[in-house]
Amino acid sequence: MTTPPTITLDAAGSPEANALLTTMLQALQRALRADPGDVSVLERALSEALVAYDAYLDLVVTAHPMSCRAGCTACCHDNPRGVTGVELERLQRAVGALPDAAAVRAHFARLAAARTDADTWRRRRETCPLLDAEGRCRAYAFRPLACRAFVAVTPADWCDPGSPSYAARVNPHLDPPRVILQILQALSARRGLVVATDLHTGMAP
Ligand code: SF4
Ligand code: SF4
């Protein structure tokens, strides 16, 4: 199997980017110091952290234009890995507000039951239960970091496993620093939630 090339995104290591990631870190650290049972404090901290993270993503993709556009969906035919319990809990609340919540959950359960290794799964091109007919995420504001971090430098159609250029695609993965994921895992453990899993398994009832 060909390993896609890696690239360096200078803006991701800039002082401005680091300041935004520090804001994200501080918001989550505040949540760690708070009462684990106080969901409103956790929600405020997660919202603040995600605002900072989205600003970080904006900064990087402005400096290094990506191919990602609204309605572009190949990456929503995968099963994001490394999703933490507190992110899933938040996404579950957003799904609960949808009129067809039961059908969405049942769809996640079907996908989770059919789970395979990541490469095999990508080639199946199963649609995320939260993707609408126009190719938009129905829980966009609540999507996990793994969804937010996934971008492409190479043409969008290369992200499709059926593309002859798939092996040459470049997806930089703008994941936050490991310490941020560790705090999200710690917050999840404090609330008795799963530490980390894939999206489909985590969203199945
Ligand atoms: S990662 Fe690829 S499929 Fe996903 S939005 Fe970006 S270009 Fe489109
Ligand atoms: S949760 Fe939203 S962004 Fe993530 S894979 Fe599903 S539709 Fe795409």
Side-chain angles (χ1 to χ4, degrees), residues 5-131:
T6 54
I7 61 160
T8 302
L9 301 174
D10 292 335
S14 67
E16 295 82 2
N18 284 331
L20 290 165
L21 292 175
T22 300
T23 300
M24 184 182 190
L25 179 63
Q26 289 169 340
L28 294 176
Q29 284 172 328
R30 269 203 308 282
L32 259 189
R33 289 193 294 270
D35 174 358
D38 191 336
V39 180
S40 64
V41 170
L42 177 61
E43 177 56 29
R44 274 201 303 280
L46 287 173
S47 297
E48 189 184 329
L50 287 172
V51 166
Y53 183 61
D54 284 347
Y56 161 80
L57 293 176
D58 281 349
L59 189 150
V60 177
V61 304
T62 299
H64 309 282
M66 305 288 168
S67 301
C68 307
R69 300 285 178 272
C72 181
T73 63
C75 54
C76 295
H77 291 74
D78 195 354
N79 180 13
R81 265 69 176 177
V83 183
T84 60
V86 284
E87 293 178 281
L88 289 165
E89 185 181 45
R90 204 163 177 262
L91 190 59
Q92 289 279 13
R93 279 202 297 274
V95 167
L98 297 175
D100 56 342
V104 170
R105 290 189 177 117
H107 190 173
F108 271 119
R110 283 197 300 280
L111 296 182
R115 191 173 185 269
T116 65
D117 64 273
D119 269 348
T120 307
W121 189 264
R122 280 185 200 116
R123 289 174 198 286
R124 285 182 55 158
R125 289 188 259 180
E126 296 278 0
T127 306
C128 177
L130 286 169
L131 195 66

